[in-house]
Amino acid sequence: MSIFPIEIIFNILAGLVFLIYWGITFVILYHFSRFGIGVQPKKFAAVFLFGSVVLSAAAIILFMRINIGSFFS
């Protein structure tokens, strides 16, 4: 028996992946909205943000449904 259950380790890794993903997403959105000239880059940023939120929500929902303990039993 280890100190940390395997589920907690996977949850921490998933949290770190989402943190890195949203950090990169913020940088992309910032550059689209800050350095874009005109309205078109702002529209790209809005579509990109909507898609990122939808994909992140889907990934979180699917991750919550996985039983990690069944992989190692």
Side-chain angles (χ1 to χ4, degrees), residues 23-41:
I24 293 169
T25 302
F26 171 76
V27 169
I28 291 171
L29 285 172
Y30 175 77
H31 281 90
F32 269 152
S33 61
R34 173 71 173 98
F35 299 112
I37 297 172
V39 179
Q40 193 68 27

Side-chain angles (χ1 to χ4, degrees), residues 29-60:
L29 285 172
Y30 175 77
H31 281 90
F32 269 152
S33 61
R34 173 71 173 98
F35 299 112
I37 297 172
V39 179
Q40 193 68 27
K42 277 88 172 160
K43 289 181 183 178
F44 286 149
V47 170
F48 182 75
L49 177 63
F50 178 72
S52 294
V53 169
V54 169
L55 288 176
S56 291
I60 289 171

Side-chain angles (χ1 to χ4, degrees), residues 10-22:
F10 274 103
N11 288 338
I12 291 172
L13 287 174
L16 288 174
V17 167
F18 276 112
L19 186 66
I20 291 169
Y21 172 75
W22 278 103

